[in-house]
Every structure is written in structure tokens, then in C-alpha cells.
Amino acid sequence: MSIRLALTVKRLPDLELIDHGFWLQRVLCDLRFPSSAGLTDPYPAIVDTGAPTSIIPRSLWSRTTVRRLKSFPLQGLVARKECAVSVTAGIISAVLQDAHGRQLRRTFRAYLAQHDEVPLILGMQDLLAEAKLFLDLKVQAAWLEFRT
């Protein structure tokens, strides 16, 4: 048995390069985090098949239970010390939700950012690597399918 979660596909003009025909395409999945008052409101996460691990801004993970493992500076596209992001590797639970109200709770390893200057990113480890991903960007259709 499996559950299919519809993803949101957005295509927006790149405002910096709009005169040259550049655009931004995002595939998004809503995440909700457990809190003392129940689940948080949904937050759109970028579905990023190039991200080895999910990244969660501080304001989202600090309201829920996490298991912290190890803090370190995370370097990405620009391998300079001043561009590193301070993170803590950890384990967190969240609910993936689509626009139709279908939900799936998952516990996964993630990088917990020490600030909010990073986007919420769904990465490969424990999430995307566990799902079938369907993308037809021409018609703006996408979904994740997980075995339950």
C-alpha cells in the first residue's frame, strides 16, 4: 500500500534577469511540525533532489522536539569559510501534507540551521530517497509516493 502526495509546481520570472527570459521553477511540499498546541501551520518546503539532507530554519525546528547529534559549519555551493551556515545535525519529525489534505508523518535526519536565513529544504536522506518522485514540469504536475 502507498500514499501519493501532490506537490505544488510554481514557475516565476527571475526578476534579476527577466529581460533575458530567465525564470525560476520550484517544486514544493508543505510540512507541518508537531508542537505543544498540535501541528503547526503548513510551511512550503523546496523539494531538492540535489540536497543530500534536508535543512530546516531555526524558527521551525525550535518549536518541536529534536534529537541533536553534532554541530558544524555546513558549506555548500561556495566553499569559503564566511559562506558556511552553522547547523546541528539532528533527527526531527514532521508531517508532509498536500493541498488535498493527505498527510504522512515522517521522522528523518536533517540539518537544523542556527538561524532563519535558509529556506526549508526537503533533501534526499530519509525522505526523497524513500519515495517515488514524479515530475512533469511542462504540465506542472508532480507528486511523491511513499510506501506505507
Side-chain angles (χ1 to χ4, degrees):
M1 192 174 213
S2 64
I3 183 170
R4 183 180 287 185
L5 299 171
L7 302 174
T8 302
V9 179
K10 289 189 176 182
R11 183 174 171 157
L12 307 165
D14 183 335
L15 298 178
E16 296 288 322
L17 297 167
I18 195 167
D19 295 338
H20 301 285
F22 281 73
W23 46 269
L24 305 170
Q25 190 129 16
R26 292 279 189 239
V27 179
L28 305 167
C29 179
D30 283 343
L31 257 66
R32 300 177 77 183
F33 296 91
S35 72
S36 58
L39 290 175
T40 63
D41 289 335
Y43 295 95
I46 299 168
V47 175
D48 188 347
T49 60
T53 305
S54 299
I55 301 174
I56 304 174
R58 182 179 187 84
S59 64
L60 300 182
W61 67 260
S62 63
R63 294 191 253 169
T64 192
T65 302
V66 297
R67 185 170 145 224
R68 297 178 193 204
L69 302 173
K70 179 181 179 180
S71 296
F72 65 98
L74 176 66
Q75 291 185 297
L77 185 61
V78 180
R80 292 195 324 244
K81 204 181 250 188
E82 64 270 19
C83 297
V85 175
S86 295
V87 301
T88 298
I91 299 174
I92 189 168
S93 292
V95 173
L96 287 75
Q97 178 177 303
D98 71 10
H100 307 291
R102 291 179 292 242
Q103 295 183 337
L104 180 67
R105 185 182 185 103
R106 283 291 205 233
T107 299
F108 55 98
R109 287 170 278 213
Y111 297 142
L112 311 172
Q114 298 304 310
H115 54 73
D116 286 338
E117 296 171 12
V118 297
L120 176 57
I121 294 176
L122 283 188
M124 295 298 287
Q125 184 160 11
D126 299 334
L127 284 174
L128 300 180
E130 303 298 319
K132 289 182 184 179
L133 173 62
F134 173 84
L135 288 172
D136 185 342
L137 298 178
K138 187 150 184 92
V139 299
Q140 294 193 326
W143 66 77
L144 288 170
E145 189 171 320
F146 290 89
R147 284 191 175 172
T148 53

